[in-house]
Every structure is written in C-alpha cells, then in structure tokens.
Amino acid sequence: MSENNSGGPMRWDEHARGGAGGWVRATDGRTGPPDEPAPDPDPDSGRRTVPKKYVLLAVGGGLAVAALVLVVAHAVRPSAPEAAHSAGPSSSSSPSVALSGSTETDPQPSGPPTASAEEQATAVDELLERSESDRQQVIDAVNAVEACASDGTVAAAGQALDEAAVRREGLITDLAALDVGELASGSLAAGSLRTGWQHSADADRAFADWADDAQGCSPGAVPRTSSYRRGVRSSELATGAKEEFLAHWTPIAASYGLPERDTAEL
C-alpha cells in the first residue's frame, strides 16, 4: 500500500493485477477522491451477454410457432366451392357476357294494331249476316223431308243439311279468330253466339240423319225418328244460347248503328 500512497492520486482499475483489480496511480489528471471508482469507459461492458445458442433456439422456436399457425389457418379455412357458395352472388361482380348472336337488343316485331271497337263490332255483324243466309236453306231442307215428295228430294234435303252444318262450324272457327276485347261484354256475347251456332250445327246433322231415315216414306207420313227428336232438342238449345247472345249484342249494335237481329235470323 505504501507504493500507492506516493506519487499522486490513485484510482481503482478492475483490469489490474491480471484482472483481479487493484489501485493504480492515476495518469489522466483525475482529482476525485481515492475511494471513488473511475467511470467505466465502455458503458456496455457491464451488460450480460446472451449466449449465441440461446438466440438461435429462440429464433427457431418462433419459426415453428408461425408454421403451426399457418397449418391451423389452412385447416379451418373453407374450401374453394364452399367459400364461393357462402359468399353468394356479389353485387360488384361483372355481368355475364351475353352469348354471341343474342337478339336481346334487336327490335321485336310488333303485332298487328288492335282493331277499334267499331271495327270489331262490324266484323261480328258480318258473321251474323252469313248465318242468316244459311238459315233459310236449313228451313227449306227440313220442309222437303217433311213433304217427302220423292226419294230424290229427301236425299237432296239431307245433303243440304250436312252442308249447312259444315258452314255453321266455319262460322264458329271465324268467330274464334275475332278480337272482341274492345267491346263491352264482347267476350260474353261471343261465347253465347259460339254455343248457339254449335247447337245449330248439331241440329243440322241430326235432321240430315232424319232424312236418311225417311227414305222410302210416303207424302205426309214421314216417321218422327230419334234423329228427328235429337234435331228438335238441339234447335231448342241453340235458341236459348242465341237469346243470351242478343242480350249482350243488342246494346253493342245500337252503339255503332248496326242492324238489330232476333233469334230467327241467327
């Protein structure tokens, strides 16, 4: 210690004496108290150093945890079809591409213009006019069978009745093709008229069968067979349907200046 008390102030040097530490003479002009250690020139020299092997273990463990997280996330993530199904249609998805040759934007041909109410009423009246011309031929044929002047006249009457039935059915077909939507009660009137004409056609065919039954008859002694009775019944049904038609038609005809008609004319 005597050597430490001579020659100037002393300082503690932890590296002196082979790393054991000891007091040495100060050579940097420090004037502090002898028992105060000099500041460490390296502030990091007192920190504890972590061994490199532990650093590598920590890095490796972090990578293992990250890999485990990715495996779990992949396992719980829905498959592509399921994800697409759960997502549903997206409002932001682009519209589907139209097929080539699509006529979506092509102008559609318009139908024929709708006839006016007056034109529709006139078309129905023209059919009624045709029906009236057939009526007289049917009356004449039935009277010819009733008279039974000869087998020839009876046979001709039967043929005329068959032809009348065909014309009645033609009227029904033409009536179905007419548009009566602009007429008040137009569909009801057309339905009743169609029913009436169908019963009239049935009556014509029944009377034609009666003409066949009357072959070989004597004047004034024509038998009233089942065909005759069937014709009478169909005529009665036709009259009822035509009366219903006129209940709808008469106001329509008056509105457009068309002639009034009765069941006999139908």
Side-chain angles (χ1 to χ4, degrees), residues 187-206:
S187 59
L188 295 175
S192 299
L193 182 59
R194 180 167 54 250
T195 300
W197 278 341
Q198 185 60 62
H199 286 311
S200 292
D202 294 341
D204 295 340
R205 295 194 186 281

Side-chain angles (χ1 to χ4, degrees), residues 113-121 179-187 252 256:
T114 303
S116 65
E118 182 176 3
E119 291 172 335
Q120 293 178 3
D179 181 9
V180 294
E182 298 298 320
L183 299 177
S185 301
S187 59
I252 297 175
Y256 301 106

Side-chain angles (χ1 to χ4, degrees), residues 244-259:
E244 183 178 347
F245 162 73
L246 289 175
H248 299 298
W249 174 253
T250 300
I252 297 175
S255 298
Y256 301 106
L258 300 173

Side-chain angles (χ1 to χ4, degrees), residues 61-140:
L63 294 177
V65 171
L68 178 60
V69 171
L70 291 177
V71 170
V72 173
H74 179 75
V76 300
R77 185 181 62 183
S79 62
E82 292 176 350
H85 176 73
S86 60
S90 174
S91 59
S92 61
S93 60
S94 59
S96 58
V97 180
L99 296 176
S100 60
S102 173
T103 58
E104 183 175 345
T105 58
D106 295 340
Q108 297 297 324
S110 58
T114 303
S116 65
E118 182 176 3
E119 291 172 335
Q120 293 178 3
T122 301
V124 174
D125 185 72
E126 291 175 353
L127 294 183
L128 298 178
E129 191 72 27
R130 285 168 51 188
S131 175
E132 184 177 359
S133 63
D134 287 335
R135 170 181 173 272
Q136 190 58 48
Q137 295 181 22
V138 171
I139 293 175
D140 293 342

Side-chain angles (χ1 to χ4, degrees), residues 5 74 77 82 127 151 153 162 198 209 211 221 223 232 239 252 257 266:
N5 293 330
H74 179 75
R77 185 181 62 183
E82 292 176 350
L127 294 183
D151 289 344
T153 58
D162 279 331
Q198 185 60 62
D209 293 340
V232 171
T239 299
I252 297 175
L266 301 180

